[in-house]
Amino acid sequence: MSRIYLDCAATTPMREEAIAAMLPLLGAGGYNPSSLHAEGRAARAALDDARAAVAGVLGARPREVVFTGSGSESIALAVLGAARAAGARGRHVVTCVTEHHAVLHAVDVLEAEGWSATRLPVDADGLVDPAVFAAALRPDTVLATIMLANNELGTIAPVADLAAIARRRGVLFHTDAVQTPPWLALDVETLGVDLLSLSGHKFYGPKGVGMLYVRSGTPVAAQVVGGGQEHGLRSGTENVAGIAAFATALVCAQRERAETVVRIGALRDRFEAEILRRVPGARVNATRAPRLAGTSSIAFAQVPADALLIGLDLEGIAASAGSACAAGSLEPSHVLGAIGVPPGDARGVLRFSFGRTTRELEIERVIRVIPEVVAQVRGVAV
Ligand code: PLP
């Protein structure tokens, strides 16, 4: 029985094109792009090509692309770096309660330094109300950070609207877009953001490679200092092989995006409809919000998620409970709490996240197996 992987929001394996882009730069082409000799210049050319390709996808300038060591690091650079650089103007930041911990804990760090922070609530579908956002901006607000799509629910925030409000008020806007490359267009002019974070392993690129878009003229204080690489914003010899793979995977993801959204969106919708039909008490979260086409968060009443996950795993199906980014923790998720799922129900929520390789036959099998596993865990015969 071949395995069925429905945990693409946690991570994706690298695609062939990305591995092919990486291999030559790991071996004979593996030199330091800051070196002046021919080997170094060749590595620099590979780095420049990758930067230009990423900038092309984002509608940005190559100078605005900063490579980092993860999505979390990009977020830390954006939140801590932009806030600290603007600290003389004001010391207030705005975010929302359903952000990834990379954002929430960076905001905690600022608070520990004496900043104040507003964590906006979300509605029952996980969305921030633009009017509430506007009302939260104060004369001393220097930065707002609201994720483009939520990793647990897939909800897509109205970032273009929020960023426009922030800009009118002279507030910098960062968005954590880590979950989005296979599903959404990422043009930074359309989005109107000043800072945008990505992570390679969410779109079939490498783990341990992130990127921060920094709009020209946005003051950002480096958080890792040293040799001054990445326009002085992130020191450390660049992971040229990983960066080349990141760029290749991003270009591929965006090239395939329209087709993937239609194909996988139809599979996801059929999956949800069948689970609702076949599993008594099942409920899909956040259905009234725009959602990423590959994400499905389902509450199964009266069943602990860990028992379901084990049952599914034994059947060859990989999914996750809430967010796997929280290091395997099965604590009730802060996101589910924020949309009003009671803690008892939140313990029975699974996230199924589909990817470009998800096939109809796989979903047919998952649709058959889930009702059986839920019934087993509930202790009733199907
Ligand atoms: N932001 C979101 C929305 C995520 O889903 C993740 C997942 O890990 C991250 C940030 C962190 O990215 P990384 O694992 O590359 O640090």
Side-chain angles (χ1 to χ4, degrees):
M1 176 180 62
S2 55
R3 305 259 323 159
I4 302 176
Y5 183 74
L6 297 180
D7 203 12
C8 294
T11 198
T12 50
M14 282 179 71
R15 60 190 298 156
E16 269 173 31
E17 298 92 327
I19 296 173
M22 191 171 202
L23 285 178
L25 297 160
L26 287 172
Y31 296 98
N32 189 330
S34 296
S35 301
L36 293 179
H37 43 62
E39 289 84 349
R41 291 197 308 275
R44 168 68 51 190
L47 183 60
D48 289 347
D49 287 350
R51 200 183 306 281
V54 171
V57 166
L58 300 177
R61 285 176 259 187
R63 239 199 109 67
E64 298 174 313
V65 170
V66 177
F67 292 110
T68 68
S70 65
S72 301
E73 191 195 322
S74 299
I75 290 166
L77 177 57
V79 175
L80 300 176
R84 286 172 178 162
R89 279 198 295 120
R91 285 164 71 83
H92 175 241
V93 295
V94 173
T95 185
C96 98
V97 288
T98 50
E99 293 290 312
H100 189 273
H101 285 123
V103 169
L104 294 176
H105 292 335
V107 170
D108 292 344
V109 169
L110 290 174
E111 279 187 312
E113 291 173 5
W115 290 65
S116 58
T118 302
R119 295 174 180 76
L120 296 172
V122 293
D123 66 15
D125 290 292
L127 292 178
V128 171
D129 179 344
V132 174
F133 175 79
L137 301 180
R138 314 189 317 209
D140 63 339
T141 311
V142 293
L143 175 72
T145 173
I146 304 286
M147 72 202 313
L148 183 51
N150 184 270
N151 46 304
E152 295 190 34
L153 304 171
T155 47
I156 303 166
V159 159
D161 296 345
L162 301 175
I165 295 168
R167 176 163 297 178
R168 283 199 292 277
R169 304 281 289 273
V171 172
L172 292 174
F173 194 96
H174 167 250
T175 193
D176 169 358
V178 163
Q179 285 291 335
T180 63
W183 316 107
L184 301 181
L186 289 171
D187 185 90
V188 290
E189 292 312 324
T190 310
L191 289 169
V193 296
D194 302 297
L195 300 146
L196 178 147
S197 299
L198 294 180
S199 173
H201 71 106
K202 307 293 185 177
F203 50 87
Y204 302 89
K207 286 167 239 322
V209 184
M211 190 265 352
L212 181 66
Y213 159 76
V214 181
R215 183 177 290 278
S216 290
T218 307
V220 175
Q223 302 300 302
V224 179
V225 292
Q229 289 89 344
E230 296 300 295
H231 330 305
L233 285 180
R234 199 277 190 176
S235 286
T237 303
E238 292 92 343
N239 173 3
V240 181
I243 289 168
F246 176 107
T248 300
L250 184 66
V251 168
C252 292
Q254 287 282 305
R255 196 172 45 221
E256 294 165 358
R257 182 171 50 81
E259 183 274 327
T260 309
V261 166
V262 172
R263 181 169 51 84
I264 300 299
L267 274 186
R268 193 274 313 266
D269 291 349
R270 172 164 152 65
F271 164 77
E272 290 184 346
E274 286 299 322
I275 296 302
L276 290 179
R277 198 169 68 77
R278 297 178 190 213
V279 181
R283 202 170 37 74
V284 181
N285 290 314
T287 47
R288 285 159 306 188
R291 279 188 299 155
L292 299 180
T295 309
S296 182
S297 166
I298 303 191
F300 295 94
Q302 292 127 34
V303 265
D306 50 354
L308 282 180
L309 283 181
I310 293 166
L312 290 175
D313 195 33
L314 290 172
E315 289 288 341
I317 299 166
S320 78
S323 167
C325 297
S329 107
L330 282 185
E331 287 296 300
S333 126
H334 66 289
V335 175
L336 298 171
I339 61 166
V341 179
D345 291 356
R347 273 190 274 278
V349 171
L350 294 193
R351 179 188 65 188
F352 301 91
S353 43
F354 301 32
R356 55 187 282 270
T357 61
T358 306
R359 294 284 169 262
E360 190 172 354
L361 269 180
E362 295 181 319
I363 295 309
E364 293 305 328
R365 181 168 147 68
V366 175
I367 287 168
R368 282 197 310 277
V369 168
I370 287 179
E372 293 168 10
V373 172
V374 173
Q376 265 166 25
V377 175
R378 283 178 178 163
V380 297
V382 237

